[in-house]
Amino acid sequence: MPRTRSLPLALCASISSLALVAGCGTETVAAEEEAEASVGPAVPAYVSRPDLTAPDIEITPAAGAPEADGTVVLLGPKSEGAPLSGVLIVDETGEPIWIHPTESRSYDVPVQELDGEQVLTWWQGTSPVVGMGVGEFVVVDDSYREIATITTGGDLDPGQADIHEGRLTPDGTALLTAYVKVPADLTTFGGPEDGWVWDNVVQEVDVDTGEVLLSWRSLDHVPLEATKSELPEDGGTEEAPFDYFHVNSVSEDADGSLLVSARNTWAVYDLDRESGEVLWTLGGEESDFDLGEGVEFAWQHDAERQADGTLTMFDNQSEPDIGPTSRGLRLALDEQAKTATLVTEYLPPDPDRLAGSQGSLEQLPNGNVFIGWGSRPFYSEFAADGTLLWDAALGSGDNYRAYRQEWTATPADPPDAVLADGAVHVSWNGATEVDSWRLVAGDDEASAEAGEPVARSGFETELPVDGDPAYLAVEALLTDGQVLGSTVLGD
């Protein structure tokens, strides 16, 4: 399949040997220390799936509580010592639906659309430099079967897709980012004349063919002097290139241009899709817009244009610290008058929730806003006017982006069931439509009778067993009583 381009092991090894120190400076180091310090007690053990654990998520209502609206929350928790490093889908109460450990840390787990079908995507690969990655984006269907991987091409070797963006477009393309080290004169920053920097690459790749339709490099359009970062002591070498730009999101604007967020210039750039020309810059040292009161953002992530014309982002305000807290922002841009004004500010419940890295803001269909707090292990939902509705604590680890979206899935594997202590403990990792469970028991399959349904009670449900039947099966039922899947115990 043309979409599948695996990451060569030799490439991983060569890149790992070249880059050993974070180009992000103290930002990602502090974030990792912060996340690892937050690791709390684990997590429920499941009789039917003893190999799986998940964070114990605590929901705190504020002006409201999470509604059971058919959506799920999608996360990629990670950090040393956390109960799960991988992909996690939970319901509105924080109860796990799909627990998927991964060999490497996973980033960015949204529901997207490919060829008219819902798919789930996430990044996998290696992180030879803290805060960056080389790898690919995995695409799975609604049975969790891998159907594609997407990565870089053209003048970049395959397998260099960075962690920060893997956005699918309605045209069957993917927007990707990558980091490439290049020589540069850094004497302006007190560094070496024969120094090195990270050039930031944005690619648009045809998902089916792998053809690169656009390849944009930051150094061709944004000078080093635009950075807000300081060159670390002994930085700017080939082993530790200067991270002057740090691209962390790419999205489509309403007119088809691309919005690129660069953390280390405190700016959002609007790019012409054909030429790569920067049409305008919002924020930073070279802003084309006058920033109104309360607008100035710093170290931001996830800049996106919304249907009402506003621009939203996650404003980290850290690292190093600039403001008192991270926040979500909604801005109104007047592209004729070149002004940016604050529409809505989304503030956390604690006044000093500074996220040194990562973070996301999602516009929900009902007008609410969903925020993932990045290196701080929380996610929250807000009303349209900025009122906090509820806040959730992961309890441990950190998370790149958080999403609340519709997702319907039936795993390819059957349910897991274990008979222990006079009851069947049953779960179906990833199934989203199970309403209840039912035992089928008897002397043999032909004479076995179905019992009364028992409502699903979270990831794992316990079904009491009468006597010692020779034949025992369990069925997963939809709300209308139809059988969605089944397992015969002992098979």
Side-chain angles (χ1 to χ4, degrees):
M1 179 181 291
R3 293 172 181 161
T4 302
R5 292 182 171 186
S6 297
L7 177 62
L9 293 178
L11 176 63
C12 290
S14 64
I15 296 176
S16 297
S17 65
L18 289 173
L20 302 175
V21 182
C24 303
T26 59
E27 172 235 341
T28 46
V29 174
E32 286 206 341
E33 290 175 351
E34 175 184 66
E36 290 172 13
S38 70
V39 172
V43 185
Y46 305 112
V47 176
S48 57
R49 289 298 304 268
D51 58 318
L52 298 180
T53 57
D56 187 9
I57 297 174
E58 181 180 353
I59 308 290
T60 302
E67 295 183 5
D69 57 2
T71 63
V72 299
V73 174
L74 301 111
L75 307 163
K78 58 193 186 303
S79 81
E80 297 298 328
L84 173 67
S85 184
V87 179
L88 178 65
I89 301 177
V90 300
D91 66 15
E92 74 282 354
T93 70
E95 182 69 21
I97 295 173
W98 193 45
I99 307 169
H100 182 64
T102 53
E103 290 185 7
S104 64
R105 296 181 178 188
S106 298
Y107 291 77
D108 199 19
V109 191
V111 177
Q112 303 199 72
E113 188 173 296
L114 181 62
D115 299 333
E117 301 292 336
Q118 271 196 337
V119 295
L120 199 64
T121 65
W122 66 87
W123 180 89
Q124 68 177 17
T126 61
S127 295
V129 171
V130 178
M132 303 177 191
V134 288
E136 61 194 6
F137 281 84
V138 178
V139 185
V140 300
D141 64 15
D142 60 6
S143 66
Y144 301 102
R145 287 176 169 153
E146 184 177 311
I147 58 173
T149 58
I150 305 168
T151 191
T152 46
D155 60 350
L156 297 182
D157 289 331
Q160 291 197 56
D162 176 58
I163 61 179
H164 287 98
E165 194 65 84
R167 193 180 303 255
L168 301 180
T169 76
D171 298 323
T173 66
L175 302 174
L176 305 174
T177 62
Y179 289 77
V180 179
K181 59 174 65 177
V182 297
D185 183 351
L186 296 177
T187 53
T188 302
F189 304 93
E193 182 178 357
D194 56 346
W196 290 78
V197 300
W198 288 111
D199 196 3
N200 290 224
V201 183
V202 173
Q203 287 196 339
E204 183 170 12
V205 178
D206 185 279
V207 175
D208 281 325
T209 66
E211 179 186 0
V212 176
L213 307 177
L214 167 71
S215 189
W216 180 91
R217 292 194 176 223
S218 62
L219 283 171
D220 292 338
H221 302 275
V222 181
L224 291 173
E225 289 74 20
T227 192
K228 292 285 192 175
S229 291
E230 294 185 3
L231 180 67
E233 186 177 353
D234 300 326
T237 64
E238 188 173 3
E239 293 74 27
F242 182 33
D243 186 17
Y244 92 103
F245 192 76
H246 202 85
V247 60
N248 59 27
S249 75
V250 185
S251 61
E252 292 185 288
D253 205 348
D255 62 0
S257 59
L258 297 180
L259 294 174
V260 172
S261 169
R263 177 194 182 278
N264 287 354
T265 63
W266 299 7
V268 178
Y269 303 88
D270 191 47
L271 309 185
D272 182 275
R273 196 107 166 224
E274 298 297 325
S275 67
E277 176 190 358
V278 176
L279 302 176
W280 51 252
T281 301
L282 172 69
E285 294 289 336
E286 301 180 327
S287 182
D288 293 315
F289 291 79
D290 291 328
L291 305 185
E293 184 177 356
V295 169
E296 187 169 1
F297 49 89
W299 316 114
Q300 81 291 337
H301 287 72
D302 196 18
E304 298 189 47
R305 182 81 73 168
Q306 302 301 335
D308 64 357
T310 59
L311 183 76
T312 59
M313 68 179 70
F314 182 80
D315 179 18
N316 293 73
Q317 291 289 317
S318 177
E319 162 80 35
D321 297 349
I322 301 298
T325 185
S326 299
R327 58 182 181 160
L329 281 183
R330 184 185 300 275
L331 307 178
L333 303 185
D334 186 329
E335 296 187 28
Q336 297 300 317
K338 289 295 188 290
T339 59
T341 56
L342 178 64
V343 177
T344 315
E345 183 180 45
Y346 306 92
L347 295 172
D350 43 320
D352 58 352
R353 186 179 288 182
L354 280 164
S357 69
Q358 309 168 87
S360 59
L361 185 153
E362 178 188 19
Q363 174 74 60
L364 300 181
N366 65 358
N368 289 355
V369 163
F370 193 66
I371 289 182
W373 296 95
S375 61
R376 301 300 300 272
F378 302 94
Y379 56 87
S380 310
E381 186 168 341
F382 295 81
D385 65 359
T387 301
L388 176 67
L389 298 176
W390 54 270
D391 189 52
L394 282 167
S396 61
D398 63 334
N399 175 67
Y400 175 49
R401 290 176 178 168
Y403 299 92
R404 191 174 189 194
Q405 299 174 322
E406 292 185 359
W407 173 244
T408 302
T410 302
D413 296 328
D416 293 287
V418 172
L419 177 62
D421 299 325
V424 171
H425 303 260
V426 61
S427 62
W428 200 359
N429 192 27
T432 62
E433 296 184 284
V434 178
D435 178 71
S436 60
W437 296 96
R438 180 172 64 193
L439 286 178
V440 180
D443 293 334
D444 52 39
E445 183 177 2
S447 63
E449 296 183 353
E452 289 297 317
V454 175
R456 179 184 178 275
S457 58
F459 183 83
E460 183 175 77
T461 303
E462 184 176 327
L463 308 174
V465 177
D466 292 330
D468 186 20
Y471 176 87
L472 191 59
V474 63
E475 297 175 333
L477 307 180
L478 298 169
T479 54
D480 62 3
Q482 291 188 62
V483 177
L484 184 62
S486 62
T487 291
V488 177
L489 278 76
D491 277 11

